[in-house]
Amino acid sequence: MGQFLKGAWPLLLGMLLLMVGNGMHGTLLGIRGEAAGFSTFEMSMVMSAYFVGFLGGSRITPELIRRVGHVRVFAAMASMISAVLILYPTLEHPVAWIAGRTLMGLCFSGVYVTAESWLNNAATNDTRGKALSIYMMVQMFGIVAAQGMLTIPDATGFLLFVIPSVLVSISFAPILLSVSPTPAFDTTKPMSLKELFHNSPLGVVGMFLLGGVFSAQFGMSAVFATRAGLSLSELSLFVAAFYIGATVFQYPLGWMSDRMDRRVLIMFVAAIGASGAMLGFFAGDNYLMLLVSALFIGGFSNPLYSMLIAHANDFLEYEDMAAASGGLVFVNGVGAIAGPMITGWMMDVIGPSGYFIYLVIPLAALGLYAGYRTTRRPAASVEDTGSYTAVMPTASVVAVEVAQEVAIETAMEEEQEAAAG
């Protein structure tokens, strides 16, 4: 593991700086959009545009990497991200911000694909699972740290756009100066959605619904907070609470996932997430209740991403797991595009509390559908299921494929140990 960290620290440092930039810009746009007089619908379109670009980037980046290599793709994408961050405050118009967010989504998708394939190459079979966990922790820490930086004065000036732009600009310096070898790149041909749905209906439906939940958290939480009249410090802590919850609950829920029928756990976890959203709806001006609501929504919705991947694996052959990952990530991305637009419409109709009502609907639907699926076929034997591997919803197909490989290797090791015992 020490050898891995020695070779991968430039990449991890670069990703940390990039995630701080990404976390700051998403929340900051929600604040500045309110100051600029953007309507809730306009802000929902701006936030949805990121996921349109993200979905497109996941398709474009592999070919770019094959043509010019990892280093050039990473540097080019990060440079464009830095440029767009500087342009936001100079072009305060919804159309310009939609274009900027689309480009940001495309570039961040490209950065994730590049970084995760590089990370996978740097790890060995023995360290791959730990490497993925460290990478996810770095991402989460970067997003949470970004919210704290938003309390720096000058929310209506240029400084808070300059800071993430500078961080992104220097993020690829450690990587460009590193002597680590760049990897060959290859991805698995994805499984058709029809075949994937046949093997795991809950996996497909769940990932679609969860895409809408995550994009509302990532894209619209700051918009809600500004509409609800929270101060800048209150807003930053509210947004951070989603990711703190995800960090706290990820591994306990993963441990449970490997020891019971995943469909039952998915049903209860989604129900708790929906209950957390209902708490936010009834919170009114009670800020503490809003924080608890965000903690539970983030804590119980983000681990569902990894659970649904693990559940889909339970009904797939080992050789099909990596192929299924592309379809699952694609379905999640489609759901993510719709999330902010529906959230914005509900906030226009109901008011700021429409944000929480929206979150209740897909989480409750996921819980109900998971309960329904328990009646359609027997549960997979706990001894025959793959291992849960934590993956963030921001992960590209590459990271999901790595998680699949780790799950396969862990399951095979457990089978060998059981046979030997």
Side-chain angles (χ1 to χ4, degrees):
M1 198 62 201
Q3 187 65 31
F4 162 77
L5 291 174
K6 183 179 178 181
W9 74 263
L11 178 62
L12 294 172
L13 176 59
M15 286 306 301
L16 175 64
L17 296 174
L18 275 162
M19 292 311 296
V20 173
N22 197 14
M24 283 189 72
H25 114 271
T27 308
L28 187 57
L29 288 186
I31 300 169
R32 288 295 293 267
E34 171 74 9
F38 290 7
S39 69
T40 304
F41 174 74
E42 288 170 337
M43 285 306 302
S44 69
M45 294 295 290
V46 168
M47 296 306 176
S48 289
Y50 177 89
F51 300 98
V52 174
F54 196 90
L55 202 58
S58 65
R59 303 287 169 144
I60 295 170
T61 305
E63 183 57 32
L64 289 177
I65 293 174
R66 292 188 187 98
R67 291 177 60 187
V68 302
H70 286 73
V71 173
R72 289 179 179 176
V73 171
F74 194 97
M77 296 292 187
S79 296
M80 284 191 282
I81 291 169
S82 179
V84 173
L85 284 167
I86 288 293
L87 288 174
Y88 276 131
T90 65
L91 300 170
E92 288 192 341
H93 190 279
V95 175
W97 279 21
I98 288 170
R101 281 282 286 180
T102 304
L103 185 57
M104 290 284 278
L106 188 150
C107 290
F108 267 108
S109 176
V111 163
Y112 293 147
V113 170
T114 307
E116 289 160 13
S117 58
W118 209 330
L119 191 75
N120 186 36
N121 183 76
T124 65
N125 287 341
D126 293 333
T127 62
R128 187 170 284 113
K130 292 179 181 178
L132 183 63
S133 297
I134 292 172
Y135 171 73
M136 295 301 164
M137 288 172 63
V138 166
Q139 280 199 326
M140 193 69 75
F141 180 78
I143 294 176
V144 173
Q147 310 314 312
M149 295 182 70
L150 288 169
T151 59
I152 298 172
D154 193 41
T156 58
F158 281 71
L159 180 61
L160 288 182
F161 287 99
V162 171
I163 291 173
S165 177
V166 170
L167 291 176
V168 170
S169 293
I170 64 177
S171 69
F172 51 91
I175 296 167
L176 295 180
L177 297 174
S178 171
V179 296
S180 299
T182 58
F185 184 81
D186 191 28
T187 55
T188 308
K189 184 178 179 181
M191 180 184 294
S192 71
L193 292 180
K194 181 178 180 181
E195 186 178 357
L196 185 56
F197 182 82
H198 174 76
N199 283 291
S200 181
L202 177 57
V204 173
V205 173
M207 289 295 269
F208 175 78
L209 293 171
L210 203 58
V213 172
F214 176 72
S215 63
Q217 289 179 46
F218 187 73
M220 296 297 288
S221 53
V223 177
F224 157 78
T226 56
R227 297 292 191 269
L230 299 185
S231 68
L232 190 58
S233 59
E234 289 174 335
L235 180 151
S236 62
L237 185 56
F238 172 74
V239 176
F242 287 100
Y243 301 101
I244 294 171
T247 304
V248 170
F249 289 104
Q250 182 79 254
Y251 289 97
L253 290 174
W255 183 87
M256 294 176 63
S257 172
D258 286 340
R259 288 160 176 79
M260 61 183 292
D261 183 350
R262 285 197 173 100
R263 298 171 301 180
V264 174
L265 183 61
I266 289 169
M267 177 178 67
F268 281 109
V269 169
I272 294 171
S275 300
M278 284 301 299
L279 178 65
F281 175 75
F282 289 114
D285 295 330
N286 190 322
Y287 180 63
L288 181 59
M289 284 181 64
L290 285 177
L291 288 182
V292 173
S293 171
L295 195 74
F296 271 80
I297 295 168
F300 285 87
S301 62
N302 283 272
L304 282 170
Y305 187 85
S306 299
M307 278 186 216
L308 288 165
I309 292 172
H311 169 72
N313 286 347
D314 292 342
F315 297 95
L316 293 167
E317 299 297 329
Y318 285 159
E319 59 269 20
D320 293 329
M321 290 182 182
S325 63
L328 292 173
V329 172
F330 176 79
V331 169
N332 186 262
V334 173
I337 293 170
M341 291 188 286
I342 300 173
T343 307
W345 174 76
M346 294 190 72
M347 288 174 66
D348 273 337
V349 173
I350 302 172
S353 60
Y355 174 73
F356 292 106
I357 291 297
Y358 166 74
L359 289 172
V360 168
I361 294 171
L363 285 170
L366 175 53
L368 290 171
Y369 189 67
Y372 166 74
R373 289 305 307 173
T374 63
T375 67
R376 306 310 299 166
R377 63 179 169 185
S381 170
V382 174
E383 291 76 17
D384 296 332
T385 58
S387 297
Y388 175 99
T389 306
V391 187
M392 280 185 64
T394 54
S396 75
V397 175
V398 176
V400 177
E401 287 186 5
V402 174
Q404 313 281 44
E405 292 171 7
V406 172
I408 293 168
E409 291 163 4
T410 304
M412 292 180 71
E413 288 173 3
E414 290 173 351
E415 287 180 2
Q416 290 171 358
E417 290 174 2

